[in-house]
Amino acid sequence: MNGACPADARLRRSLAGVALLLAVLAAALGPPLRARDAAVAPIALAERIRAREAGLHIIDVRGDAFDAELTVPGAQPAEPDSPAQWPLDAPSLVVYGLDSPTSEAAWRAARAAGAVSVSWLQGGLAGWVLHVLEPALPPPQTAADSAANRRVAELSRYFGGRARLARPGEVIADSVRDAAAVVRNAGRRGCGPGFE
Amino acid sequence: MNLANLGGGAGLALAFGIGIVFGWFLERGGMGDARKLAGQFYLTDFAVFKVMFAAILTAMLGLFWLSRLGWVDPASVFVPETFLLPQLAGGIVFGIGFVMAGLCPGTSCVAAATGRLDGLSAAGGMLGGVLLFGEFFPRLSGFHDSTARGVLTLPEITGSPIGVIIFLVTVAGIGGFAVAERIERVRGAP
């Protein structure tokens, strides 16, 4: 080791310098923020809206498909292709589209445009319909399940929705194949026993 | 490519290939020589420290930046669980064996592959130890599973951001290299 030629010593110093530079950049930039870590569940967002959380800004980036009749309460419409015009400096920004992919894409666009405190609504507007306005509650097995169901049903009523008990064998999915149909048929299903 | 999807035969073949390449690099780095490895304990040759810490820094920075670029999902990397007392005991046994033989498990295989008798002895002792441990495992299993702490990482333990930990480990490694070379110069390493 001590008999190393000057070229070896220079190479070692160069490698150490590269390692140090990468380490400084790692400390400065921090770890990557994964999209799934920035997702907010519909029920969680509903609770934040009901609590009138200060600084919470919600934007609906469905663009031409925006329908003021069916939207997340308090959400403002925003042009999907103009993230620079979104309230990127809001203390807590939540973006959503029709479904998870469009909501996640909006989150990426907001991040790329400089937003720091931004999250996306899991399931998009379809997720809001399925989990807040028309939640299918699993049959309770324990007292804790019953309490959780009551909490969701009460939250659903607060936003004008109606919870129901899931049918036997019904799969309660986090995502849907046809989000547009879910949103289109919102409020028209009414099947299954209600949960009071 | 997801390696978890490889079948048993393909997985073993890949592991064999990686092992051959790993062993070749160890041998070319002089890690099959017990005298060189034992120099670590006599503060005359820090090649082991430098090789191991260089590997740690390379893997740490590589994994961080590959995940930062979105090419690797860090959640898919297996992190072994911590069992405090059993791992402390294992470390002591490992250290005693290392200083006695001048070889660790990997380097003993490298030394054995190049026909060194000390390597063959150390590898044979290691395999004998594995068999003994297996035979006595029912009696040792209580200790083996004791003081479980789950998966521990430095960012979790210290509450520091991972980028800061990476910076500190890198500085410690580079500083360690500089100190090791200075000691080698003073003590007249080969």
Side-chain angles (χ1 to χ4, degrees):
Chain A
M1 291 284 171
N2 290 333
C5 68
D8 284 347
R10 273 200 302 274
L11 177 63
R12 287 209 298 272
R13 275 199 295 273
S14 301
L15 289 173
V18 170
L20 202 55
L21 177 65
L22 290 173
V24 168
L25 287 173
L29 297 178
L33 181 60
R34 292 169 299 182
R36 67 170 180 265
D37 295 335
V40 57
I43 289 292
L45 180 61
E47 287 177 332
R48 290 168 64 185
I49 296 170
R50 186 172 63 169
R52 300 181 192 283
E53 180 182 304
L56 177 63
H57 278 64
I58 308 168
I59 58 171
D60 182 321
V61 297
R62 284 178 294 155
D64 293 340
F66 179 78
D67 170 12
E69 292 292 311
L70 180 60
T71 182
V72 173
Q76 299 296 317
E79 280 301 317
D81 299 327
S82 308
Q85 294 172 13
W86 301 351
L88 301 174
D89 55 353
S92 183
L93 177 65
V94 178
V95 296
Y96 72 85
L98 178 65
D99 50 18
S100 279
T102 52
S103 303
E104 190 181 324
W107 172 79
R108 290 188 193 284
R111 292 271 301 171
V116 175
S117 181
V118 56
S119 48
W120 58 277
L121 178 61
Q122 249 172 8
L125 186 61
W128 178 265
V129 171
L130 286 175
H131 292 277
V132 177
L133 298 184
E134 301 174 353
L137 305 175
Q141 307 291 328
T142 65
D145 293 343
S146 298
N149 280 354
R150 275 197 299 277
R151 184 174 66 89
V152 174
E154 194 259 322
L155 197 60
S156 182
R157 274 198 301 277
Y158 179 86
F159 287 100
R162 180 172 183 264
R164 63 178 175 82
L165 278 174
R167 291 179 292 275
E170 180 178 355
V171 176
I172 303 170
D174 284 331
S175 59
V176 289
R177 201 175 287 273
D178 191 352
V182 169
V183 171
R184 196 167 51 243
N185 296 324
R188 298 192 192 116
R189 274 177 278 271
C191 54
F195 184 92
E196 303 301 334
Chain B
M1 180 177 68
N2 188 345
L3 296 181
N5 295 336
L6 284 177
L12 283 175
L14 182 65
F16 182 76
I18 291 173
I20 294 293
V21 173
F22 178 61
W24 187 85
F25 276 106
L26 280 180
E27 162 60 23
R28 299 315 301 157
M31 298 293 113
D33 182 350
R35 285 193 186 87
K36 188 172 186 64
L37 270 66
Q40 173 82 34
F41 301 102
Y42 298 103
L43 306 182
T44 55
D45 190 331
F46 285 87
V48 175
F49 165 77
K50 287 185 275 192
V51 166
M52 297 309 290
F53 229 99
I56 289 170
L57 294 187
T58 304
M60 178 182 71
L61 289 167
L63 185 59
F64 176 86
W65 282 105
L66 287 175
S67 63
R68 195 74 176 70
L69 295 169
W71 295 347
V72 168
D73 180 3
S76 65
V77 177
F78 174 72
V79 182
E81 294 179 47
T82 295
F83 295 84
L84 280 179
L85 288 179
Q87 286 170 348
L88 183 65
I92 291 171
V93 171
F94 182 95
I96 291 171
F98 195 167
V99 77
M100 283 174 64
L103 297 164
C104 68
T107 53
S108 69
C109 292
V110 170
T114 55
R116 293 173 191 261
L117 289 179
D118 57 349
L120 282 169
S121 304
M126 179 180 68
L127 292 175
V130 169
L131 285 175
L132 276 178
F133 181 77
E135 282 298 313
F136 287 98
F137 185 74
R139 293 187 198 176
L140 297 170
S141 61
F143 179 66
H144 179 268
D145 297 333
S146 65
T147 54
R149 293 291 183 273
V151 173
L152 293 181
T153 61
L154 286 175
E156 289 170 11
I157 295 171
T158 61
S160 303
I162 191 168
V164 173
I165 295 293
I166 285 173
F167 174 73
L168 292 176
V169 172
T170 304
V171 169
I174 293 174
F177 295 155
V179 171
E181 299 230 327
R182 183 173 290 262
I183 294 173
E184 283 175 345
R185 274 197 298 274
V186 170
R187 296 181 69 95

